[in-house]
Amino acid sequence: MLKVFLYYETFEKKLSKLLLLEFNRVTLDSEGSCELTQEEMDKALYNFNEFGFVTPEELAQRDGPLSLPIAPVLPKIQEKKTLYNNLKENLNPLSHNAPYIMEERISALKQIHKEHIELIRKAAKLI
């Protein structure tokens, strides 16, 4: 199941505009609830911890084989449509710029992933 975090502005205690979306995939139990495990938290921070503030030279000097970045969680086409419809019906003020904000976020996540892969390529050449 896709979990979406909405970051938005309010003006005079009313929804004003959508600022950012974050995506994650979760598994629900038989009662429909999700329990965040340490493994899921570690996975969520993996790319940041491994590639956030490192140079290719530092990566090449690490013990063991180079690890690959985890691909970003991105919504499928139907999930996007469902989110847009849900926003329009339930949080209408946020729906106006939702397509733009979502596509910008997806593009940014893809770009970050490309940068991590390029970092690995550069490190591999140094080994």
Side-chain angles (χ1 to χ4, degrees), residues 69-111:
I70 296 173
V73 174
L74 302 175
K76 298 173 185 161
I77 293 171
Q78 188 56 46
E79 291 170 328
K80 286 195 236 182
K81 290 178 183 177
T82 301
L83 178 60
Y84 296 149
N85 289 337
N86 190 304
L87 287 173
K88 191 167 188 162
E89 290 175 18
N90 300 307
L91 303 168
N92 197 323
L94 303 183
S95 69
H96 303 296
N97 67 340
Y100 172 77
I101 296 294
M102 184 178 297
E103 294 306 321
E104 284 293 311
R105 184 62 185 153
I106 289 169
S107 178
L109 290 170
K110 287 178 179 179
Q111 181 60 36

Side-chain angles (χ1 to χ4, degrees), residues 4-98:
V4 181
F5 291 97
L6 304 172
Y7 299 88
Y8 55 89
E9 280 183 358
T10 59
F11 181 72
E12 295 179 354
K13 298 183 181 182
K14 294 181 182 177
L15 297 174
S16 177
K17 86 177 176 184
L18 186 62
L19 301 173
L20 178 70
L21 295 164
E22 289 289 338
F23 312 105
N24 199 358
R25 296 243 175 240
V26 295
T27 304
L28 302 178
D29 63 18
S30 61
E31 297 177 8
S33 61
C34 170
E35 184 177 326
L36 192 59
T37 65
Q38 186 63 42
E39 181 181 335
E40 289 170 334
M41 289 188 289
D42 291 344
K43 185 178 176 183
L45 293 173
Y46 175 80
N47 284 348
F48 179 78
N49 290 335
E50 290 293 314
F51 311 109
F53 299 101
V54 68
T55 65
E57 294 78 16
E58 292 169 334
L59 266 181
Q61 292 174 0
R62 289 184 180 173
D63 291 335
L66 295 173
S67 57
L68 296 174
I70 296 173
V73 174
L74 302 175
K76 298 173 185 161
I77 293 171
Q78 188 56 46
E79 291 170 328
K80 286 195 236 182
K81 290 178 183 177
T82 301
L83 178 60
Y84 296 149
N85 289 337
N86 190 304
L87 287 173
K88 191 167 188 162
E89 290 175 18
N90 300 307
L91 303 168
N92 197 323
L94 303 183
S95 69
H96 303 296
N97 67 340

